[in-house]
Amino acid sequence: MESAFAVLAEPHRRAILSMLSSSERSVGELMHHLRLPQPSVSKHLKVLRDGGFVESRVEAQRRVYRLNPRPLQEIDAWLLPFRRFWSRHVDALEQQLERMEENSSVKGKKRHGKP
Amino acid sequence: MESAFAVLAEPHRRAILSMLSSSERSVGELMHHLRLPQPSVSKHLKVLRDGGFVESRVEAQRRVYRLNPRPLQEIDAWLLPFRRFWSRHVDALEQQLERMEENSSVKGKKRHGKP
DNA sequence: CAGGCATATGACCGTATGTGCATATACGTG
DNA sequence: CACGTATATGCACATACGGTCATATGCCTG
């Protein structure tokens, strides 16, 4: 698993993180919410653990998982240069859209025809 | 490809986006920088196009690609709830770290107790 | 119009990944 | 100590993905 993004590529894993952002949860709770068999949940949790997204606490037989924000903070940091980009280019993009509109309305067509 | 995160899971694609954040580039330029065969570059560009991350402009035989910030903005938006989480918990985490420090310095990375 | 450059697309292959099932492990309780 | 609950792990399988090679398409130039 090379990057935090690869971990987040999986919808169930994002769902787990979202659930954990509101509060800690046991595997059973996650399982119930996600409507996913327990082994799947455990495996996703392993990926999340290995990626540093979550940590677990043992509570009797339960493992209670909680969020660890660091990897998400790294993603936040990765976005930084792009934020500069889009704040610089907001107006340029709007102009671009206007140009596209007045230029043609057939943007869906793929010009593959042969002459 | 179900999500923007899946698109970003690929390191070469992130590299492409980073390159495009500084300026537009032709496929050839990207190819040269990434040291990747041209078909690979084109395929990654297709994924990025389908995901809305980039747009291309035709310039003679060249296709010049530029960044489209929207999908990245969506990711930025997805991070919002987590930002609230980590700003709420920064101090808690610091306390946690201090506790761990004063508790023991030999715990290392035990995480997976083996019997 | 032929030829060449720039890019896209298709087929094939090896590998990684998510899922399901079966099972192992750990813990609490009678 | 046997049993049930809660979670993790190993195996098998199908699928998706990235890389490579070969080829198609598009455009420019002589």
Side-chain angles (χ1 to χ4, degrees), chain B residues 70-88:
Chain B
R70 257 160 296 238
L72 291 171
Q73 288 173 320
E74 285 168 22
I75 288 184
D76 202 51
W78 184 85
L79 283 176
L80 249 167
F82 299 100
R83 283 200 207 95
R84 289 194 293 101
F85 175 86
W86 74 61
S87 54
R88 270 205 333 269

Side-chain angles (χ1 to χ4, degrees), chain A residues 60-97:
Chain A
Q61 320 93 314
R62 303 215 171 85
R63 306 282 180 113
V64 179
Y65 281 82
R66 66 174 176 282
L67 206 60
N68 179 1
R70 258 159 296 236
L72 292 171
Q73 288 173 320
E74 285 169 21
I75 289 184
D76 202 51
W78 184 83
L79 284 176
L80 249 166
F82 300 100
R83 283 200 207 94
R84 288 194 295 100
F85 175 87
W86 73 61
S87 54
R88 271 203 333 268
H89 288 258
V90 169
D91 33 295
L93 281 167
E94 280 168 359
Q95 288 172 17
Q96 177 70 13
L97 284 176

Side-chain angles (χ1 to χ4, degrees), chain A residues 1 6 10 12-13 36-37 39-40 43-44 47 60-61 110 112:
Chain A
M1 188 66 54
E10 228 291 324
H12 291 135
R13 291 199 283 263
L36 216 59
S40 280
K43 283 170 188 178
H44 286 307
V47 176
Q61 320 93 314
K110 217 156 164 196
H112 247 102

